């Protein structure tokens, strides 16, 4: 079967995939969920110098250290920037790159890819309560999380996110285009990432939808695992 490497977005760690991992493993897949530097169980490493290149290196080094090949690399939200950078450096090790309600990196900093109103909120919160270099977690209700059980599980685990990762440009050589892409949009929330879904569709990518909020790995693990399994099988075929 396939080897998945699942990369979480801002404020999260590898723990956020806990409801998806056993479902993929039940289908015979190997699953890895590394945490990016400065977040969650690696929060002790957070510093103003942690940037986008740091997170790309995290995943590149992880894939190389575990000698993973034919990887289905999945990036959620902010991590779309990360997986584009990884695909640009390691196209020969990847079978597919999957953007889960995520940025499609084109070289611009992540903050420039957000709608202006959202970007303004990020900048304001960094200055007001993030010491000028951290992004405090956003209210989960704005991300489409409504169930008390999910809110209680997510809220205490979220950690501030290094601001530099959102202001760093994404340096690309063009090699990422060699890796087959797919886009999965979560449709039951404010749909900040809808422009990227349209971009993917116009480019002829495989595009899927899940009727849930932005935190699909928590609120719709069965549906997400099914979509990821299907994309992996499609890639293998």
């Amino acid at each position: 079967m396939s080897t998945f490497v699942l990369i979480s977005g801002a404020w999260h760690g590898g723990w956020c995939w806990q409801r998806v991992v056993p479902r993929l493993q039940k289908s015979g897949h190997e699953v890895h969920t590394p945490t990016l530097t400065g977040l969650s169980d690696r929060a002790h490493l957070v510093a103003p110098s942690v940037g986008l290149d740091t997170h790309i290196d995290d995943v590149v080094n992880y894939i190389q250290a575990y000698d993973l090949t034919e990887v289905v690399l999945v990036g959620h939200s902010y991590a779309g920037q990360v997986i584009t950078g990884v695909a640009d450096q390691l196209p020969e090790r990847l079978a597919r790159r999957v953007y889960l309600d995520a940025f499609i990196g084109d070289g611009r900093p992540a903050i420039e890819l957000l709608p202006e109103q959202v970007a303004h909120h990020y900048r304001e919160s960094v200055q007001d309560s993030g010491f000028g270099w951290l992004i405090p977690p956003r209210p989960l209700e704005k991300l489409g999380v409504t169930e008390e059980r999910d809110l209680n599980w997510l809220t205490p685990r979220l950690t501030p996110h290094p601001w530099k990762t959102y202001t760093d440009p994404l340096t690309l050589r063009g090699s990422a285009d060699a890796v087959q892409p797919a886009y999965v949009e979560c449709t039951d929330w404010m749909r900040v990432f809808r422009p990227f879904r349209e971009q993917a569709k116009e480019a002829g990518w495989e595009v899927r939808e899940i009727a849930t909020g932005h935190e699909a790995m928590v609120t719709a693990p069965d549906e997400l695992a099914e979509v990821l399994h299907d994309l992996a099988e499609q890639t293998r075929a």
Side-chain angles (χ1 to χ4, degrees), residues 3 63 66-72 92-95:
T3 298
I63 290 172
Y66 284 87
D67 195 23
L68 305 180
T69 58
E70 293 298 309
V71 170
V72 178
E92 72 283 356
R93 286 186 176 266
L94 306 185

Side-chain angles (χ1 to χ4, degrees), residues 123-152:
R123 293 187 178 99
E124 194 172 59
S125 64
V126 168
Q127 294 305 317
D128 290 349
S129 53
F131 310 102
W133 62 276
L134 288 169
I135 312 171
R138 295 201 77 198
L140 289 165
E141 292 83 356
K142 291 184 179 294
L143 304 180
V145 182
T146 58
E147 296 291 332
E148 184 176 359
R149 169 176 174 263
D150 297 332
L151 289 167
N152 290 342

Side-chain angles (χ1 to χ4, degrees), residues 39-86:
L39 297 164
S40 188
D41 54 288
R42 304 187 69 202
H44 59 289
L45 300 175
V46 73
S49 60
V50 174
L52 178 57
D53 285 347
T54 311
H55 287 171
I56 292 170
D57 287 344
D58 284 339
V59 182
V60 166
N61 292 339
Y62 187 97
I63 290 172
Q64 290 177 327
Y66 284 87
D67 195 23
L68 305 180
T69 58
E70 293 298 309
V71 170
V72 178
L73 183 62
V74 181
H76 176 239
S77 196
Y78 152 76
Q81 290 280 85
V82 177
I83 71 168
T84 298
V86 174

Side-chain angles (χ1 to χ4, degrees), residues 1-4 6 16-31 33 72 74 98 100 184-186 208-212 215-234:
M1 302 300 283
S2 297
T3 298
F4 282 94
L6 310 177
C16 74
W17 304 98
Q18 285 181 23
R19 299 179 184 178
V20 176
V21 170
R23 290 162 168 82
L24 290 175
Q25 290 175 331
K26 187 176 180 180
S27 296
H29 302 295
E30 179 181 344
V31 188
T33 61
V72 178
V74 181
V98 180
L100 173 60
V184 182
E185 189 197 10
C186 302
R208 304 291 182 91
E209 291 183 355
I210 300 178
T212 192
E215 304 282 284
M217 70 287 292
V218 175
T219 58
D222 286 319
E223 294 88 341
L224 177 56
E226 182 178 351
V227 167
L228 294 179
H229 170 75
D230 190 51
L231 288 171
E233 289 301 285
Q234 183 188 82

Side-chain angles (χ1 to χ4, degrees), residues 67-202:
D67 195 23
L68 305 180
T69 58
E70 293 298 309
V71 170
V72 178
L73 183 62
V74 181
H76 176 239
S77 196
Y78 152 76
Q81 290 280 85
V82 177
I83 71 168
T84 298
V86 174
D88 194 61
Q89 292 190 32
L90 295 179
E92 72 283 356
R93 286 186 176 266
L94 306 185
R96 190 157 207 167
R97 51 193 168 112
V98 180
Y99 296 80
L100 173 60
D101 225 31
F103 297 120
I104 296 177
D106 62 6
R108 289 177 291 166
I111 193 64
E112 295 182 13
L113 301 175
L114 287 169
E116 184 52 42
Q117 184 178 3
V118 178
H120 174 76
H121 170 78
Y122 274 50
R123 293 187 178 99
E124 194 172 59
S125 64
V126 168
Q127 294 305 317
D128 290 349
S129 53
F131 310 102
W133 62 276
L134 288 169
I135 312 171
R138 295 201 77 198
L140 289 165
E141 292 83 356
K142 291 184 179 294
L143 304 180
V145 182
T146 58
E147 296 291 332
E148 184 176 359
R149 169 176 174 263
D150 297 332
L151 289 167
N152 290 342
W153 190 70
L154 280 165
T155 302
R157 290 172 169 80
L158 301 180
T159 52
H161 188 93
W163 175 230
K164 190 173 185 291
T165 65
Y166 268 73
T167 60
D168 282 346
L170 175 60
T171 304
L172 298 171
R173 300 170 297 188
S175 300
D177 292 339
V179 182
Q180 186 178 12
Y183 200 91
V184 182
E185 189 197 10
C186 302
T187 60
D188 286 7
W189 72 301
M190 61 189 297
R191 302 182 78 173
V192 168
F193 295 94
R194 186 173 186 178
F196 302 106
R197 172 251 173 86
E198 296 305 315
Q199 178 184 338
K201 189 174 181 180
E202 290 174 9

